[in-house]
Amino acid sequence: MIQDKTQKEIEQIVLKWGQINSDDFKSYCTRKHLVDCLNTLIQDKNHQTPYLLSIADNPQTEHLQIEWGTYDSPFGEAFIANSNRGLVSLHFLNPDDTEQNSLNVLTQHWPCATIDHNPATVKRLGQQLFSTRKTSHSIFVYVAANPFQVRVWQTLSTLAAGHLISYGQLAALCGQPGAARAVGNALACNPIGWVIPCHRVIHSNGQIGQYRWDTHRKMAMHIWEYSHFRNSSKFI
């Protein structure tokens, strides 16, 4: 696991995932840089969200057609599952969260679905999801969620790639000032990593905060997005 590695090994991993040089790494990883990103937050309600969110009424009884596979993303191997209704799972693998574990969770969550392994389809989808090129094609996402989770995820979609927001700022934008902890809980339940960009939410003091798929991966995602998309017309 990344947590068991030395600081130097962690730096090399983030440099690889973030695809930057050592000088930029030192600049982007400072608390000052992260706070500056928060202080320049601009919510763009006209920002074209890359995903369209649909809510499953009861995953336990839905007869979906699901295709799954793994993809070598810029941030390590990702488990991706897509259905005839939209993307149902995207998370990052590690020694404690293997491909088989991910498949077991998928099967338990959608017990009535037909689930097939389709590496070719997932590879094409992965290339789309992690592309640095601007696209007009939205990604359909199909998840089970309560109303507050939906509000948090949809509000977060107005934040463009390369920008950051604090838990408190996101709570206020959701109409629930003071509900930073509840926002954190909603983000922790996000089943679609990267696409629903919970990695863009940090603490107001500039600390990167927790991330379901490792805090170092979260930092690498910010570095990658900042270097590719900040002050750019591109988006993910």
Side-chain angles (χ1 to χ4, degrees), residues 68-164:
W68 71 274
T70 59
Y71 179 73
D72 187 16
S73 83
F75 315 107
E77 191 174 20
F79 178 91
I80 301 175
N82 194 45
S83 76
N84 53 309
R85 297 291 301 273
L87 192 63
V88 295
S89 178
L90 192 161
H91 58 268
F92 298 91
L93 302 180
N94 59 52
D96 294 331
D97 190 2
T98 65
E99 178 181 307
Q100 187 57 53
N101 288 343
S102 300
L103 184 57
N104 292 342
V105 171
L106 182 70
T107 303
Q108 292 167 8
H109 194 68
W110 303 95
C112 294
T114 300
I115 301 177
D116 296 313
H117 186 214
N118 193 329
T121 295
V122 168
K123 181 179 180 179
R124 289 192 296 271
L125 180 57
Q127 290 170 339
Q128 176 188 355
L129 296 178
F130 294 97
S131 173
T132 57
R133 290 180 296 179
K134 185 174 180 179
T135 175
S136 59
H137 300 293
S138 293
I139 299 161
F140 292 91
V141 172
Y142 193 60
V143 296
N146 62 45
F148 183 71
Q149 290 170 340
V150 172
R151 194 186 322 165
V152 170
W153 300 344
Q154 288 182 330
T155 302
L156 186 56
S157 74
T158 65
L159 187 67
H163 294 258
L164 297 174

Side-chain angles (χ1 to χ4, degrees), residues 122-222:
V122 168
K123 181 179 180 179
R124 289 192 296 271
L125 180 57
Q127 290 170 339
Q128 176 188 355
L129 296 178
F130 294 97
S131 173
T132 57
R133 290 180 296 179
K134 185 174 180 179
T135 175
S136 59
H137 300 293
S138 293
I139 299 161
F140 292 91
V141 172
Y142 193 60
V143 296
N146 62 45
F148 183 71
Q149 290 170 340
V150 172
R151 194 186 322 165
V152 170
W153 300 344
Q154 288 182 330
T155 302
L156 186 56
S157 74
T158 65
L159 187 67
H163 294 258
L164 297 174
I165 190 171
S166 72
Y167 294 94
Q169 287 173 321
L170 184 54
L173 290 177
C174 290
Q176 297 286 335
R181 185 178 296 274
V183 163
N185 291 336
L187 297 176
C189 295
N190 174 20
I192 315 290
W194 180 250
V195 176
I196 298 178
C198 53
H199 60 277
R200 296 176 192 161
V201 188
I202 68 171
H203 292 294
S204 59
N205 63 1
Q207 289 184 331
I208 193 69
Q210 297 297 311
Y211 186 57
R212 180 175 176 180
W213 297 286
D214 197 277
T215 56
H216 305 296
R217 183 176 272 114
K218 181 179 183 179
M219 176 61 79
M221 288 177 171
H222 166 64

